[in-house]
PDB file of all heavy atoms in Angstrom:
ATOM      1  N   PRO T   1       0.807  -1.207   0.004  1.00 93.00           N
ATOM      2  CA  PRO T   1      -0.002  -0.006   0.009  1.00 93.00           C
ATOM      3  C   PRO T   1       0.841   1.265   0.010  1.00 93.00           C
ATOM      4  O   PRO T   1       1.678   1.451   0.894  1.00 93.00           O
ATOM      5  CB  PRO T   1      -0.809  -0.139   1.298  1.00 93.00           C
ATOM      6  CG  PRO T   1      -0.004  -0.976   2.176  1.00 93.00           C
ATOM      7  CD  PRO T   1       0.719  -1.955   1.275  1.00 93.00           C
ATOM      8  N   PRO T   2       0.631   2.178  -0.955  1.00 95.00           N
ATOM      9  CA  PRO T   2       1.391   3.458  -0.941  1.00 95.00           C
ATOM     10  C   PRO T   2       1.102   4.287   0.297  1.00 95.00           C
ATOM     11  O   PRO T   2       1.959   5.129   0.643  1.00 95.00           O
ATOM     12  CB  PRO T   2       0.854   4.147  -2.193  1.00 95.00           C
ATOM     13  CG  PRO T   2       0.277   3.074  -3.064  1.00 95.00           C
ATOM     14  CD  PRO T   2      -0.223   2.036  -2.137  1.00 95.00           C
ATOM     15  N   GLU T   3      -0.026   4.092   0.935  1.00 94.00           N
ATOM     16  CA  GLU T   3      -0.341   4.883   2.115  1.00 94.00           C
ATOM     17  C   GLU T   3       0.631   4.708   3.261  1.00 94.00           C
ATOM     18  O   GLU T   3       0.709   5.520   4.168  1.00 94.00           O
ATOM     19  CB  GLU T   3      -1.776   4.508   2.599  1.00 94.00           C
ATOM     20  CG  GLU T   3      -2.893   4.926   1.667  1.00 94.00           C
ATOM     21  CD  GLU T   3      -3.055   4.031   0.470  1.00 94.00           C
ATOM     22  OE1 GLU T   3      -2.414   2.921   0.455  1.00 94.00           O
ATOM     23  OE2 GLU T   3      -3.822   4.357  -0.444  1.00 94.00           O
ATOM     24  N   VAL T   4       1.421   3.620   3.230  1.00 94.00           N
ATOM     25  CA  VAL T   4       2.375   3.342   4.274  1.00 94.00           C
ATOM     26  C   VAL T   4       3.660   4.195   4.132  1.00 94.00           C
ATOM     27  O   VAL T   4       4.433   4.360   5.078  1.00 94.00           O
ATOM     28  CB  VAL T   4       2.762   1.817   4.264  1.00 94.00           C
ATOM     29  CG1 VAL T   4       3.796   1.475   5.310  1.00 94.00           C
ATOM     30  CG2 VAL T   4       1.516   0.989   4.514  1.00 94.00           C
ATOM     31  N   ILE T   5       3.840   4.796   2.964  1.00 96.00           N
ATOM     32  CA  ILE T   5       5.051   5.601   2.720  1.00 96.00           C
ATOM     33  C   ILE T   5       5.201   6.707   3.726  1.00 96.00           C
ATOM     34  O   ILE T   5       6.301   6.996   4.204  1.00 96.00           O
ATOM     35  CB  ILE T   5       5.026   6.121   1.280  1.00 96.00           C
ATOM     36  CG1 ILE T   5       5.186   4.979   0.276  1.00 96.00           C
ATOM     37  CG2 ILE T   5       6.170   7.157   1.081  1.00 96.00           C
ATOM     38  CD1 ILE T   5       5.105   5.388  -1.170  1.00 96.00           C
ATOM     39  N   GLY T   6       4.117   7.369   4.066  1.00 94.00           N
ATOM     40  CA  GLY T   6       4.161   8.443   5.039  1.00 94.00           C
ATOM     41  C   GLY T   6       4.650   7.956   6.395  1.00 94.00           C
ATOM     42  O   GLY T   6       5.454   8.631   7.067  1.00 94.00           O
ATOM     43  N   ASP T   7       4.190   6.781   6.811  1.00 95.00           N
ATOM     44  CA  ASP T   7       4.648   6.203   8.100  1.00 95.00           C
ATOM     45  C   ASP T   7       6.126   5.884   8.045  1.00 95.00           C
ATOM     46  O   ASP T   7       6.871   6.070   9.026  1.00 95.00           O
ATOM     47  CB  ASP T   7       3.853   4.932   8.407  1.00 95.00           C
ATOM     48  CG  ASP T   7       2.356   5.198   8.604  1.00 95.00           C
ATOM     49  OD1 ASP T   7       2.025   6.359   8.960  1.00 95.00           O
ATOM     50  OD2 ASP T   7       1.544   4.302   8.338  1.00 95.00           O
ATOM     51  N   MET T   8       6.601   5.365   6.892  1.00 95.00           N
ATOM     52  CA  MET T   8       8.020   5.050   6.751  1.00 95.00           C
ATOM     53  C   MET T   8       8.871   6.318   6.879  1.00 95.00           C
ATOM     54  O   MET T   8       9.892   6.347   7.590  1.00 95.00           O
ATOM     55  CB  MET T   8       8.265   4.409   5.375  1.00 95.00           C
ATOM     56  CG  MET T   8       7.758   3.002   5.222  1.00 95.00           C
ATOM     57  SD  MET T   8       8.117   2.377   3.565  1.00 95.00           S
ATOM     58  CE  MET T   8       7.914   0.633   3.788  1.00 95.00           C
ATOM     59  N   LEU T   9       8.459   7.371   6.195  1.00 96.00           N
ATOM     60  CA  LEU T   9       9.219   8.611   6.240  1.00 96.00           C
ATOM     61  C   LEU T   9       9.234   9.211   7.633  1.00 96.00           C
ATOM     62  O   LEU T   9      10.281   9.686   8.111  1.00 96.00           O
ATOM     63  CB  LEU T   9       8.621   9.605   5.233  1.00 96.00           C
ATOM     64  CG  LEU T   9       9.380  10.908   5.013  1.00 96.00           C
ATOM     65  CD1 LEU T   9      10.806  10.652   4.545  1.00 96.00           C
ATOM     66  CD2 LEU T   9       8.646  11.799   4.007  1.00 96.00           C
ATOM     67  N   THR T  10       8.071   9.205   8.298  1.00 95.00           N
ATOM     68  CA  THR T  10       8.025   9.750   9.660  1.00 95.00           C
ATOM     69  C   THR T  10       8.919   8.950  10.612  1.00 95.00           C
ATOM     70  O   THR T  10       9.669   9.579  11.420  1.00 95.00           O
ATOM     71  CB  THR T  10       6.577   9.692  10.162  1.00 95.00           C
ATOM     72  OG1 THR T  10       5.754  10.491   9.321  1.00 95.00           O
ATOM     73  CG2 THR T  10       6.484  10.217  11.583  1.00 95.00           C
ATOM     74  N   LEU T  11       8.898   7.628  10.530  1.00 96.00           N
ATOM     75  CA  LEU T  11       9.748   6.823  11.408  1.00 96.00           C
ATOM     76  C   LEU T  11      11.239   7.081  11.128  1.00 96.00           C
ATOM     77  O   LEU T  11      12.035   7.169  12.064  1.00 96.00           O
ATOM     78  CB  LEU T  11       9.425   5.332  11.177  1.00 96.00           C
ATOM     79  CG  LEU T  11      10.236   4.319  12.019  1.00 96.00           C
ATOM     80  CD1 LEU T  11      10.011   4.573  13.494  1.00 96.00           C
ATOM     81  CD2 LEU T  11       9.845   2.901  11.639  1.00 96.00           C
ATOM     82  N   ALA T  12      11.602   7.173   9.844  1.00 95.00           N
ATOM     83  CA  ALA T  12      13.004   7.417   9.517  1.00 95.00           C
ATOM     84  C   ALA T  12      13.498   8.756  10.049  1.00 95.00           C
ATOM     85  O   ALA T  12      14.638   8.857  10.550  1.00 95.00           O
ATOM     86  CB  ALA T  12      13.197   7.338   8.001  1.00 95.00           C
ATOM     87  N   ARG T  13      12.660   9.779   9.954  1.00 94.00           N
ATOM     88  CA  ARG T  13      13.086  11.126  10.349  1.00 94.00           C
ATOM     89  C   ARG T  13      13.073  11.269  11.887  1.00 94.00           C
ATOM     90  O   ARG T  13      13.951  11.909  12.441  1.00 94.00           O
ATOM     91  CB  ARG T  13      12.175  12.168   9.711  1.00 94.00           C
ATOM     92  CG  ARG T  13      12.257  12.134   8.174  1.00 94.00           C
ATOM     93  CD  ARG T  13      11.284  13.091   7.513  1.00 94.00           C
ATOM     94  NE  ARG T  13      11.778  14.461   7.558  1.00 94.00           N
ATOM     95  CZ  ARG T  13      11.117  15.479   7.043  1.00 94.00           C
ATOM     96  NH1 ARG T  13       9.943  15.308   6.447  1.00 94.00           N
ATOM     97  NH2 ARG T  13      11.627  16.719   7.092  1.00 94.00           N
ATOM     98  N   THR T  14      12.067  10.745  12.557  1.00 94.00           N
ATOM     99  CA  THR T  14      11.990  10.905  13.997  1.00 94.00           C
ATOM    100  C   THR T  14      12.977  10.024  14.751  1.00 94.00           C
ATOM    101  O   THR T  14      13.476  10.410  15.797  1.00 94.00           O
ATOM    102  CB  THR T  14      10.557  10.592  14.481  1.00 94.00           C
ATOM    103  OG1 THR T  14      10.192   9.269  14.091  1.00 94.00           O
ATOM    104  CG2 THR T  14       9.569  11.591  13.902  1.00 94.00           C
ATOM    105  N   SER T  15      13.276   8.856  14.195  1.00 95.00           N
ATOM    106  CA  SER T  15      14.208   7.928  14.848  1.00 95.00           C
ATOM    107  C   SER T  15      15.600   7.940  14.261  1.00 95.00           C
ATOM    108  O   SER T  15      16.422   7.095  14.640  1.00 95.00           O
ATOM    109  CB  SER T  15      13.631   6.495  14.812  1.00 95.00           C
ATOM    110  OG  SER T  15      12.356   6.417  15.411  1.00 95.00           O
ATOM    111  N   ASN T  16      15.833   8.789  13.280  1.00 95.00           N
ATOM    112  CA  ASN T  16      17.148   8.919  12.614  1.00 95.00           C
ATOM    113  C   ASN T  16      17.601   7.558  12.100  1.00 95.00           C
ATOM    114  O   ASN T  16      18.714   7.086  12.356  1.00 95.00           O
ATOM    115  CB  ASN T  16      18.184   9.464  13.620  1.00 95.00           C
ATOM    116  CG  ASN T  16      19.440   9.943  12.909  1.00 95.00           C
ATOM    117  OD1 ASN T  16      19.378  10.340  11.754  1.00 95.00           O
ATOM    118  ND2 ASN T  16      20.567   9.911  13.594  1.00 95.00           N
ATOM    119  N   LEU T  17      16.736   6.940  11.284  1.00 95.00           N
ATOM    120  CA  LEU T  17      17.036   5.626  10.685  1.00 95.00           C
ATOM    121  C   LEU T  17      17.444   5.796   9.224  1.00 95.00           C
ATOM    122  O   LEU T  17      16.989   6.696   8.535  1.00 95.00           O
ATOM    123  CB  LEU T  17      15.797   4.712  10.793  1.00 95.00           C
ATOM    124  CG  LEU T  17      15.260   4.443  12.186  1.00 95.00           C
ATOM    125  CD1 LEU T  17      13.998   3.581  12.086  1.00 95.00           C
ATOM    126  CD2 LEU T  17      16.307   3.742  13.032  1.00 95.00           C
ATOM    127  N   ASP T  18      18.327   4.877   8.769  1.00 96.00           N
ATOM    128  CA  ASP T  18      18.726   4.870   7.366  1.00 96.00           C
ATOM    129  C   ASP T  18      17.889   3.914   6.536  1.00 96.00           C
ATOM    130  O   ASP T  18      17.866   4.027   5.314  1.00 96.00           O
ATOM    131  CB  ASP T  18      20.206   4.490   7.249  1.00 96.00           C
ATOM    132  CG  ASP T  18      21.114   5.606   7.739  1.00 96.00           C
ATOM    133  OD1 ASP T  18      21.006   6.735   7.221  1.00 96.00           O
ATOM    134  OD2 ASP T  18      21.931   5.360   8.634  1.00 96.00           O
ATOM    135  N   VAL T  19      17.261   2.976   7.179  1.00 95.00           N
ATOM    136  CA  VAL T  19      16.465   1.958   6.469  1.00 95.00           C
ATOM    137  C   VAL T  19      15.169   1.707   7.232  1.00 95.00           C
ATOM    138  O   VAL T  19      15.192   1.565   8.478  1.00 95.00           O
ATOM    139  CB  VAL T  19      17.246   0.614   6.330  1.00 95.00           C
ATOM    140  CG1 VAL T  19      16.376  -0.407   5.559  1.00 95.00           C
ATOM    141  CG2 VAL T  19      18.572   0.819   5.647  1.00 95.00           C
ATOM    142  N   VAL T  20      14.052   1.687   6.513  1.00 96.00           N
ATOM    143  CA  VAL T  20      12.780   1.290   7.081  1.00 96.00           C
ATOM    144  C   VAL T  20      12.178   0.227   6.182  1.00 96.00           C
ATOM    145  O   VAL T  20      11.888   0.499   4.998  1.00 96.00           O
ATOM    146  CB  VAL T  20      11.800   2.461   7.227  1.00 96.00           C
ATOM    147  CG1 VAL T  20      10.478   1.988   7.785  1.00 96.00           C
ATOM    148  CG2 VAL T  20      12.397   3.541   8.141  1.00 96.00           C
ATOM    149  N   HIS T  21      12.063  -0.971   6.694  1.00 94.00           N
ATOM    150  CA  HIS T  21      11.516  -2.092   5.907  1.00 94.00           C
ATOM    151  C   HIS T  21       9.999  -2.141   6.045  1.00 94.00           C
ATOM    152  O   HIS T  21       9.461  -1.955   7.144  1.00 94.00           O
ATOM    153  CB  HIS T  21      12.058  -3.437   6.418  1.00 94.00           C
ATOM    154  CG  HIS T  21      13.544  -3.586   6.285  1.00 94.00           C
ATOM    155  ND1 HIS T  21      14.162  -3.894   5.126  1.00 94.00           N
ATOM    156  CD2 HIS T  21      14.533  -3.438   7.218  1.00 94.00           C
ATOM    157  CE1 HIS T  21      15.469  -3.952   5.326  1.00 94.00           C
ATOM    158  NE2 HIS T  21      15.728  -3.684   6.582  1.00 94.00           N
ATOM    159  N   GLY T  22       9.321  -2.368   4.918  1.00 92.00           N
ATOM    160  CA  GLY T  22       7.915  -2.694   4.996  1.00 92.00           C
ATOM    161  C   GLY T  22       7.788  -4.212   5.206  1.00 92.00           C
ATOM    162  O   GLY T  22       8.249  -5.006   4.368  1.00 92.00           O
ATOM    163  N   VAL T  23       7.161  -4.607   6.282  1.00 89.00           N
ATOM    164  CA  VAL T  23       7.066  -6.004   6.688  1.00 89.00           C
ATOM    165  C   VAL T  23       5.623  -6.477   6.536  1.00 89.00           C
ATOM    166  O   VAL T  23       4.693  -5.856   7.099  1.00 89.00           O
ATOM    167  CB  VAL T  23       7.558  -6.239   8.114  1.00 89.00           C
ATOM    168  CG1 VAL T  23       7.415  -7.690   8.518  1.00 89.00           C
ATOM    169  CG2 VAL T  23       9.024  -5.803   8.236  1.00 89.00           C
ATOM    170  N   ARG T  24       5.414  -7.564   5.835  1.00 85.00           N
ATOM    171  CA  ARG T  24       4.073  -8.114   5.583  1.00 85.00           C
ATOM    172  C   ARG T  24       3.650  -8.968   6.785  1.00 85.00           C
ATOM    173  O   ARG T  24       4.146 -10.053   6.964  1.00 85.00           O
ATOM    174  CB  ARG T  24       4.093  -8.940   4.300  1.00 85.00           C
ATOM    175  CG  ARG T  24       4.624  -8.201   3.081  1.00 85.00           C
ATOM    176  CD  ARG T  24       5.193  -9.169   2.091  1.00 85.00           C
ATOM    177  NE  ARG T  24       5.756  -8.497   0.915  1.00 85.00           N
ATOM    178  CZ  ARG T  24       6.526  -9.081   0.020  1.00 85.00           C
ATOM    179  NH1 ARG T  24       6.824 -10.392   0.153  1.00 85.00           N
ATOM    180  NH2 ARG T  24       7.008  -8.407  -0.999  1.00 85.00           N
TER     181      ARG T  24
END
């Protein structure tokens, strides 16, 4: 789902992460 992209970006920026995996 493209709608998860916003959650990925927020997690990466707030937690200072270089990788955010989408896990099924």
Side-chain angles (χ1 to χ4, degrees):
E3 292 79 10
V4 178
I5 291 176
D7 298 333
M8 289 179 162
L9 185 59
T10 299
L11 179 61
R13 299 175 78 179
T14 56
S15 302
N16 195 27
L17 300 177
D18 288 304
V19 181
V20 178
H21 299 280
V23 177
R24 306 154 182 168

